[in-house]
Amino acid sequence: HLIGAKQLSRADIEAVLDRAADFDADPAAFADAHPDALLGLCFFEPSTRTKMSFDTAIKRLGGDSVDMGPVESSSVKKGESLADTMRVIAGYTDAIVLRHPSEGAAKLAADFVDVPVINAGDGAGQHPSQTLLDLYTMREASGLDDLTVGIMGDLKYGRTVHSLAEALTTFDARMHFVSPESLRLPRNVRFDLHESGAVVKEHTDLDAVLADLDVLYVTRIQRERFPDENEYRAVAGEYRIDAELLADARDDLTVMHPLPRVDEIAPDVDRTDHAHYFEQAHNGVPVRMALLDSML
Ligand code: CP
């Protein structure tokens, strides 16, 4: 199972990224790697990138997928539990990709099935396969050694941030977290970073660190996770970058975003050499090919 980034050692990550580079160089060469593999796609929350790139990845490995489809048209709507749903789908498939609004859902699913479960996002918890493609993108752009990384936006509810921060500790990256006070990293993630000995600083203002960064990882404010819409409105639109602001950054700054973006990155950044977020999304295919290849 792949439930959280803490499971991944530096060697695990490098093995997946190296394999992904092989797939990236020549995806057609692996068209028969897993001809009988069937991947279950179980998305209890919306997705474009994660679902479609896993689907593409298994098909590029010669396998196929079955999709649970929208919750509204599945038997979840009749009250079937997650555990029962997973047990049934595990009987049809060789591995399950699960996205669910509840933190801990992937761990629970893994406890009930005997096929690998990949956590494709569990509420505000973790999104470890996103982390692998994030690291692949960083490695392509600037290497993974001696990095100073700024992570900005919704650090409280942003599961991509939680996984990425934990994985970056294995590369001894220096991390600057930039967010409103109300959206700081959750206590458990701060604790894990502290325990790992990571060099971590927290800020409310990007200007304080922008010029030092090799990578700026911007995230969306996760509106759907706020218990109170007024709390969302109080911070919406506060943390936004545009080309003018990036004039103060290093020329080789890599700007990333797991996407979807709402208004955190102005479209004028897309035309700069800083923009790596679409390439990041495309890297989801070779990286998820490598992950599936390793788990299957
Ligand atoms: N980055 C990401 O998880 O995107 P989706 O929600 O579209 O899968």
Side-chain angles (χ1 to χ4, degrees):
H1 308 296
L2 178 58
I3 307 300
K6 269 199 288 185
Q7 281 173 259
L8 299 168
S9 67
R10 180 173 178 149
D12 292 332
I13 293 168
E14 285 177 338
V16 172
L17 304 197
D18 289 347
R19 190 79 173 132
D22 295 340
F23 292 134
D24 214 2
D26 188 4
F30 302 91
D32 294 323
H34 294 280
D36 301 320
L38 201 50
L39 185 65
L41 299 173
C42 303
F43 281 70
F44 291 71
E45 275 191 338
S47 169
T48 299
R49 280 146 289 274
T50 310
K51 185 170 171 180
M52 293 191 71
S53 62
F54 267 116
D55 197 11
T56 307
I58 191 66
K59 287 171 179 164
R60 289 222 184 278
L61 290 169
D64 209 341
S65 66
V66 283
D67 184 353
M68 191 188 86
V71 167
E72 290 66 30
S73 60
S74 77
S75 286
V76 175
K77 205 62 188 160
K78 302 176 198 164
E80 188 165 37
S81 70
L82 177 63
D84 282 2
T85 304
M86 291 296 102
R87 275 191 281 218
V88 170
I89 295 173
Y92 303 150
T93 59
D94 300 299
I96 288 175
V97 179
L98 173 66
R99 171 169 292 185
H100 196 279
S102 301
E103 209 166 321
K107 172 75 177 68
L108 183 144
D111 288 343
F112 283 90
V113 301
D114 55 8
V115 301
V117 173
I118 298 173
N119 182 4
D122 59 330
Q126 291 274 315
H127 193 352
S129 69
Q130 175 73 41
T131 292
L132 290 168
L133 72 92
D134 293 342
L135 293 172
Y136 186 77
T137 307
M138 282 182 206
R139 190 171 82 161
E140 296 271 289
S142 53
L144 287 170
D145 292 322
D146 198 30
L147 279 184
T148 302
V149 180
I151 304 183
M152 183 175 90
D154 185 347
L155 311 181
K156 180 178 180 182
Y157 298 116
R159 56 196 175 199
T160 65
V161 171
H162 305 159
S163 292
L164 179 61
E166 286 172 359
L168 281 171
T169 64
T170 68
F171 293 91
D172 299 323
R174 295 171 291 279
M175 287 180 258
H176 293 278
F177 293 99
V178 183
S179 73
E181 196 61 40
S182 61
L183 295 180
R184 287 175 63 193
L185 284 173
R187 186 190 295 260
N188 64 321
V189 179
R190 288 213 307 273
F191 177 80
D192 287 344
L193 296 178
H194 178 72
E195 286 289 289
S196 74
V199 179
V200 168
K201 294 196 174 139
E202 295 182 86
H203 314 265
T204 52
D205 186 356
L206 179 63
D207 289 347
V209 292
L210 179 61
D212 296 332
L213 302 180
D214 298 301
V215 176
L216 174 59
Y217 191 96
V218 184
T219 66
R220 178 177 66 88
I221 308 287
Q222 309 273 304
R223 181 177 197 164
E224 65 276 23
R225 308 219 186 276
F226 280 68
D228 177 352
E229 176 74 9
N230 289 327
E231 280 179 39
Y232 167 74
R233 288 213 194 94
V235 290
E238 263 192 53
Y239 287 76
R240 181 175 192 274
I241 62 166
D242 58 21
E244 187 184 347
L245 182 143
L246 292 181
D248 294 333
R250 286 180 17 196
D251 289 345
D252 61 354
L253 172 74
T254 299
V255 174
M256 297 174 61
H257 190 306
L259 304 178
R261 68 176 153 181
V262 180
D263 58 3
E264 310 80 42
I265 301 180
D268 63 5
V269 179
D270 301 357
R271 293 187 290 275
T272 71
D273 290 338
H274 298 299
H276 285 256
Y277 26 92
F278 289 110
E279 169 196 326
Q280 184 184 351
H282 296 152
N283 287 337
V285 173
V287 170
R288 288 176 170 130
M289 286 174 76
L291 180 62
L292 290 172
D293 185 49
S294 126
M295 296 183 78
L296 289 167

